[in-house]
Amino acid sequence: MTLIHESMSRGHTNTGWLNSYHTFSFGGFQDPTRMGFAALRVINEDRIAPGSGFSEHGHQDMDILTMVLSGKLLHKDTLGNVVTIAPGEAQLMYAGTGVRHSEMNASASDAAHFLQIWLIPDQRGGAPRYQQVRLPDIEASRKWTLIAAGAGSGAPLELTSDTRLLMAHPREGDRLSIPRQTGRQVFLHIVEGLAMLDGERLTGGDGIQMGSDELPDLEWITDGKALLFDMRR
């Protein structure tokens, strides 16, 4: 069975300095039907006001992936990293036995817009670690492009679960097939743009939780961006 998580049905947190939408249960948004999917636990779309951000806080036993869409984030952590994350870059932090970090808007005038994704590791514990990469540009990732996966995959970012994360920047008129393998589960997240899937209109913030159904190609009505999570069942 294929389930569409519509953008407008996401949880919403607005504190003034933070405007956040939650695909799965998070913080004050708790929906027993949205407690994650396979290894995927959180997809938050966050906007942080200038001069604001998340003060230092802790995490444990989680892969935390941050992808900046516009603006810049200033990241500091107890591993000694003090870095700025810009649009087109991704940061992956494995929290392991425990790490503390802060995420602040690096600009005093512009909002920071980013995705934060949490993936559950296959095994708990281990030393925390940090990675940051420049993602392939639009022309290099018009089709599905691997950006994160488990050890030995050769992906730019190394996850601690049997998960493959692919990204695509299709152009208007493109058709994207959705790769499927027996024994795997797939979640598609539309970052931006407008597409059609089996007669359903999909736009930024929509998520598609895929069962065993065979699906037609994604037909892109506009230029867009999408993420595909291929996970062990």
Side-chain angles (χ1 to χ4, degrees):
M1 177 178 172
T2 298
L3 177 63
I4 296 179
H5 297 284
E6 295 183 353
S7 172
M8 294 302 293
S9 70
R10 292 180 294 177
H12 185 210
T13 300
N14 192 339
T15 65
W17 64 269
L18 170 67
N19 189 15
S20 180
Y21 287 90
H22 320 299
T23 296
F24 299 109
S25 293
F26 186 87
F29 170 62
Q30 294 297 312
D31 182 338
T33 68
R34 290 193 176 194
M35 298 306 296
F37 181 59
L40 183 57
R41 180 60 188 84
V42 166
I43 302 178
N44 285 348
E45 182 179 0
D46 293 345
R47 289 176 173 83
I48 295 178
S52 302
F54 298 98
S55 58
E56 186 177 290
H57 58 284
H59 292 283
Q60 190 172 345
D61 293 322
M62 194 70 69
D63 273 330
I64 301 171
L65 175 67
T66 302
M67 301 176 67
V68 173
L69 304 176
S70 64
K72 293 182 179 181
L73 280 179
L74 175 63
H75 167 99
K76 298 180 181 180
D77 63 42
T78 49
L79 301 176
N81 298 296
V82 180
V83 296
T84 299
I85 313 167
E89 294 182 340
Q91 171 206 79
L92 178 62
M93 185 173 65
Y94 173 57
T97 53
V99 66
R100 297 184 65 80
H101 74 138
S102 62
E103 296 164 297
M104 307 297 293
N105 188 332
S107 172
S109 57
D110 300 319
H113 180 199
F114 60 98
L115 294 178
Q116 188 160 99
I117 297 160
W118 295 8
L119 290 154
I120 301 168
D122 287 343
Q123 295 184 332
R124 296 178 179 272
R129 63 175 185 261
Y130 180 93
Q131 303 168 69
Q132 184 174 340
V133 298
R134 183 78 187 172
L135 295 171
D137 63 23
I138 292 175
E139 285 304 318
S141 57
R142 192 163 167 177
K143 301 293 185 181
W144 294 120
T145 302
L146 185 65
I147 61 172
S153 66
L157 295 168
E158 184 177 309
L159 297 170
T160 60
S161 67
D162 183 7
T163 298
R164 299 172 73 247
L165 173 57
L166 301 99
M167 176 181 71
H169 289 92
R171 293 291 183 89
E172 178 184 346
D174 282 354
R175 298 175 68 95
L176 274 184
S177 62
I178 301 172
R180 310 290 298 278
Q181 293 184 38
T182 302
R184 308 286 291 181
Q185 299 192 95
V186 171
F187 191 91
L188 175 71
H189 180 77
I190 306 296
V191 180
E192 59 187 34
L194 173 63
M196 299 294 293
L197 178 66
D198 199 21
E200 294 285 347
R201 185 178 184 272
L202 303 175
T203 191
D206 286 345
I208 302 90
Q209 182 173 310
M210 300 179 190
S212 58
D213 310 11
E214 288 297 323
L215 292 174
D217 294 347
L218 273 171
E219 301 178 42
W220 287 87
I221 310 304
T222 67
D223 293 356
K225 181 175 182 178
L227 298 174
L228 185 73
F229 299 84
D230 172 16
M231 300 167 287
R232 184 173 60 196
R233 189 177 296 276

